[in-house]
Amino acid sequence: MAFDKNSNQFTFIFATVLVVVVGSLLAVTYLALKPAYDENVRREKMQNILASLKVEVDRDAAPAKYAELITETALVDGAGKELEGDAFSLDVLKQYKDWKAGVVKDEELKYPVYKATLDGQTLFVLPLVGTGLWGPIWGYVSIKDDGRTIFGSTFDHKGETPGLGAEISTPIFEQPFEGKTIADETGAFKGITVYKGGTQTADPHGVDGISGGTITSQGVDEMLKRLLAIYDKYLKTQLVAVPVTTGPAILGTDSLSLDSMSITVDTTHTASLNNR
Amino acid sequence: MSTATAAPAAKPAEGLFSKKNRKLITDPLNDNNPITVQVLGICSALAITVKVQNAVVMSLSVLAVVVVGNMVISALRNLIPGRIRIIAQLVIAAGLVTLVDIVLKAYVYDVSKQVGVYVGLIITNCILMGRYEAFAMGNKVWPSALDGLGNSLGYAWILVVVAFFRELFGSGSIMGLRVIPESVYATSGGAYFNNNMMILPPMALVIVGIIIWIQRSRNTKLIEQA
């Protein structure tokens, strides 16, 4: 029987064999290289956490440095209470997407926290995740042991516009976060506002957004406000855990501040009158 | 190329690097360049030429996919049934592209993050299907490999040249190394700004246009007769 490569039978056989061969080749390669890929992703995460502590290491050195600096991890719920479970293995981006899609409910959300000891001071690294213009944006913010001052921050994105929204991952955007506070002196939560038009950067609770990257900046703003509000609750529980004089002192200043506030209002009022 | 030693012997009358075979490599570099003459693969030339490194990785990926794909298809050319030949080529191309993507993710993670989705989009690069269908289906393995090599090199040099200018004027660096000193920038007291236009895709088209212009003014046989 003469071989006819255009017969129906051979066409079927050829298509089947080709697809099976290509498919198995891909499956084998994928399985063989997946550990290397997963390790890259794991190290990159460590690298990002360290970057928010202003510790720059290359990816190969990340696991050792991570083990050295990160002393404790915690998983907290929406009320700031600690939960059982491993913080590092929680994929916050996936959780965020599921939450957006309605698969995960509000009360099921978990928030990882990494506690680091750097030069003797305790720092809290808080992962953030939100939505930019083209896709997800995320970052880490580290908070000093006073529970409100930002020590460092790092942001990244999947595909924001190069030169515009993508600038959130550059020091130009990240550095101004240092020293900003997420709550005022009385402990009232303020979050961090990303301003459009950098006129209000003197605000202790605000930073300058990216010109031309308005939607991305708004995404960062939303992500900071939403997640820092939750982490703020957790950070407060951490402060109470070390009850020096903070508890009563806050009460004291509370009653005091009422008085002093009324006085301040009065003086400014008079001052402005005088000016007129 | 190191593959030359491993290549199967062609017709005894014809050397591995006969004039005809050499032309397979040199033609696409200039007279029959896939980007500037055939105007194929333009989309990727616009997308991944912001940085030279990305352009190099993209070029190498395309090179691997075109050369290996050309060889596989050429080897199977007497078996591939005519009615499903395009689909068969597509399966092979898709398989190779996915393979490249997996390898990049495992070994050059940083780069794979930057070229990201575009590696997957190599499959839509017209150069691929163009070479598979137009050349590999009708030629022996060795000439097909050379043809794939020539075309992807022709693609690569345009990509790298475009990326060179875009990275230089758009980011002030080459291969990530700073070329324009930080001190001349307006942010540190100078008067220089990066050209943001360079980062956006339309500038790639303009640069490709300029390359085509220069090429045609030097190589007059490319000019179409009105």
Side-chain angles (χ1 to χ4, degrees), chain B residues 180-222:
Chain B
I180 296 170
E182 201 77 66
S183 56
V184 303
Y185 279 90
T187 45
S188 49
Y192 183 77
F193 285 95
N194 278 330
N195 189 344
N196 253 338
M197 185 78 178
M198 278 291 180
I199 293 182
L200 302 174
M203 265 330 266
L205 202 59
V206 173
I207 298 173
V208 171
I210 293 172
I211 294 175
I212 294 179
W213 173 25
I214 295 171
Q215 189 189 17
R216 295 198 176 198
S217 63
R218 293 171 58 102
N219 193 345
T220 43
K221 67 180 169 217
L222 291 177

Side-chain angles (χ1 to χ4, degrees), chain A residues 3 5-8 10-11 14-15 18-19 22 25-26 29-30 33 36-37 40-41 44 59 156 161-163, chain B residues 76-84 87-88 91-92 94-95 98-99 102-103 105-107 109-110 113 196 199-200:
Chain A
F3 168 68
K5 73 166 183 173
N6 286 322
S7 71
N8 283 346
F10 183 73
T11 303
F14 183 86
L18 182 69
V19 169
V22 172
L25 193 70
L26 286 181
T29 322
Y30 179 73
L33 295 182
Y37 171 63
N40 283 338
V41 173
E44 190 195 23
R59 215 172 43 244
D156 211 347
T161 322
Chain B
L76 293 175
R77 70 186 187 279
N78 293 326
L79 283 177
I80 299 177
R83 274 174 293 170
I84 59 160
I87 294 182
V91 169
I92 292 167
T98 316
L99 214 59
I102 298 174
V103 170
K105 273 188 179 141
Y107 294 116
Y109 183 69
D110 290 320
K113 253 181 39 179
N196 253 338
I199 293 182
L200 302 174

Side-chain angles (χ1 to χ4, degrees), chain A residues 51-52 54-56 140-142 149-155 167-181 192 201 204 206-208 210:
Chain A
S52 76
K54 291 189 271 186
V55 176
E56 298 291 343
Y140 294 88
V141 168
S142 61
T149 311
I150 294 180
F151 177 74
S153 71
T154 176
F155 294 95
E167 295 289 305
I168 60 164
S169 63
T170 62
I172 296 165
F173 182 73
E174 292 167 346
Q175 233 148 42
F177 279 84
E178 289 170 24
K180 300 285 176 179
T181 48
I192 297 288
T201 42
V207 293
D208 189 10
I210 303 279

